[in-house]
Amino acid sequence: MLETLASARRLGGEAVNHAEVFEFLRGDEGRIVGARVRDKQSGESRAIRAEVVVNAAGPAVERVRGLDRPITKPEIRPAKGVHLVIPRSRVHCECAIVFDARDGRHLCLIPWEEVALIGTTDSFTDQIDEPVVSIEEVHYMLSAANDAFPHLALTTNDISCAFAGVRPLVADGDEETPSNSVSRDDKIYDDPSGLISVTGGKLTTYRAMGERVVKEALDRLSEERKAAAGPSLTADLPLREGEFEAAELEAELQARYGLAPHRIAYLVRTHGLDAETLLREADPELRRPIGDSRFTYAEIPWCLRTECAVTLCDLLEHRMRMALFAIGQGLPELDEISRIAAAAAGWDAE
């Protein structure tokens, strides 16, 4: 998703992290002409005007629609999915494997870099802000994995971490269909106020969903603005700019900066051509690895400067993904990470 935001910014858009819509602005006949947005870090708010407003708030889409008018009958059912993360060395597999739990649900064992994922659960939930991983869900997936692969003998001691996400499924709030049988199709809502809302779908279809929403928004513009904007470019626009040969770039960067091959490969895979800029602009002292992980301290100022990271959680969980992939989740090096982040972002000790 970071590549999507970066692409939007290259095309002239703006991205604002940790911002919350709390009120809509209205024009003639109650039409929505913008929103009031609060910076959740500073508490400051400002009005942003727009000819068209799109609500793509995922599992919170009806909460945002509720700022426009009361939602008398829910039309989405949030469903929680949990994954367990274990060391890759515990499973010895080179590809994703699908297996069944005792209740017939399909689960997956997915090798991913230094770890493997086991998941996912699928249950309706009200936990759309901070979904919680329960011990029952942990035992459910460990039992299913051990049934399928008894030689693994996995226990809770093997779990590096666990995480949960929430799917915004399009379904009647009173529907009794189990969550894993609800369609993953997406739906666009066009409210009388002019608010466009989109929900449902899957990560694998998000660009097609985005294209349809953009077309819907373009149809609302004046003819002059519509002509200036042109049609949606999604179908022909690569997310990442610049063509390069990964092996050649890795060899060049390794020769220039002396990092271990697996760390250079990770930087090129993650940042593409920007890996060269990231290393070149970093203080030489920051080009060292973070503990025994594949990560380098040079990524910290880069993420703060170019990827809208504003907190340590942003860095460790959502940008560098150390919480998933690093031994100890970055916590043994947290003091040094904090010091470098503070220097790059201008934070005080608090």
Side-chain angles (χ1 to χ4, degrees), residues 80-273:
K80 181 174 66 170
V82 171
H83 282 89
L84 306 181
V85 182
I86 63 175
R88 175 87 173 260
S89 58
R90 285 291 280 115
V91 295
H92 305 291
C93 67
E94 297 301 322
C95 60
I97 302 173
V98 178
F99 59 98
D100 288 345
R102 294 177 187 177
D103 60 2
R105 171 161 178 75
H106 300 312
L107 300 178
C108 294
L109 174 66
I110 307 172
W112 186 18
E113 308 288 354
E114 302 100 324
V115 302
L117 306 183
I118 300 174
T120 175
T121 61
D122 198 336
S123 58
F124 292 129
T125 183
D126 295 325
Q127 301 170 357
I128 65 173
D129 294 306
E130 296 184 10
V132 175
V133 179
S134 71
I135 191 63
E136 291 79 14
E137 289 164 325
V138 170
H139 287 158
Y140 169 80
M141 286 188 285
L142 286 179
S143 296
N146 285 328
D147 285 346
F149 315 105
H151 63 285
L152 293 182
L154 294 170
T155 72
T156 53
N157 292 331
D158 293 305
I159 300 172
S160 302
C161 65
F163 63 93
V166 180
R167 313 171 186 88
L169 303 181
V170 178
D172 189 314
D174 298 325
E175 190 174 309
E176 295 188 9
T177 304
S179 57
N180 60 359
S181 299
V182 175
S183 169
R184 267 50 175 172
D185 290 345
D186 57 270
K187 184 174 181 179
I188 296 175
Y189 299 92
D190 183 359
D191 289 324
S193 62
L195 178 67
I196 299 173
S197 298
V198 59
T199 192
K202 301 182 70 173
L203 182 61
T204 48
T205 62
Y206 87 95
R207 294 199 76 186
M209 291 170 60
E211 184 175 26
R212 289 196 297 276
V213 172
V214 167
K215 289 179 178 178
E216 184 85 15
L218 288 172
D219 287 342
R220 307 283 186 85
L221 298 179
S222 64
E223 291 301 320
E224 181 179 352
R225 292 198 65 187
K226 187 188 301 185
S232 169
L233 303 175
T234 297
D236 302 308
L237 185 72
L239 278 182
R240 178 178 282 172
E241 290 186 337
E243 296 183 1
F244 63 94
E245 289 291 334
E248 293 178 6
L249 182 57
E250 289 172 20
E252 178 185 339
L253 295 180
Q254 187 179 347
R256 190 183 309 172
Y257 298 108
L259 287 172
H262 73 283
R263 294 191 176 100
I264 289 291
Y266 152 71
L267 287 171
V268 170
R269 186 168 61 251
T270 303
H271 299 283
L273 286 173

Side-chain angles (χ1 to χ4, degrees), residues 13-50:
E14 192 52 79
V16 184
N17 198 12
H18 293 277
E20 177 186 35
V21 172
F22 65 91
E23 183 182 9
F24 286 121
L25 304 177
R26 299 189 183 273
D28 296 339
E29 300 178 353
R31 299 285 290 181
I32 288 177
V33 294
R36 295 191 185 279
V37 177
R38 181 185 296 112
D39 182 335
K40 297 192 73 174
Q41 300 298 302
S42 68
E44 298 177 358
S45 62
R46 65 178 57 191
I48 300 175
R49 294 189 171 272

Side-chain angles (χ1 to χ4, degrees), residues 256-298:
R256 190 183 309 172
Y257 298 108
L259 287 172
H262 73 283
R263 294 191 176 100
I264 289 291
Y266 152 71
L267 287 171
V268 170
R269 186 168 61 251
T270 303
H271 299 283
L273 286 173
D274 284 338
E276 191 279 330
T277 307
L278 182 155
L279 291 170
R280 171 168 42 82
E281 293 183 352
D283 187 299
E285 186 263 343
L286 299 183
R287 295 178 192 144
R288 56 194 168 91
I290 302 177
D292 294 326
S293 74
R294 61 181 173 173
F295 304 96
T296 65
Y297 287 104

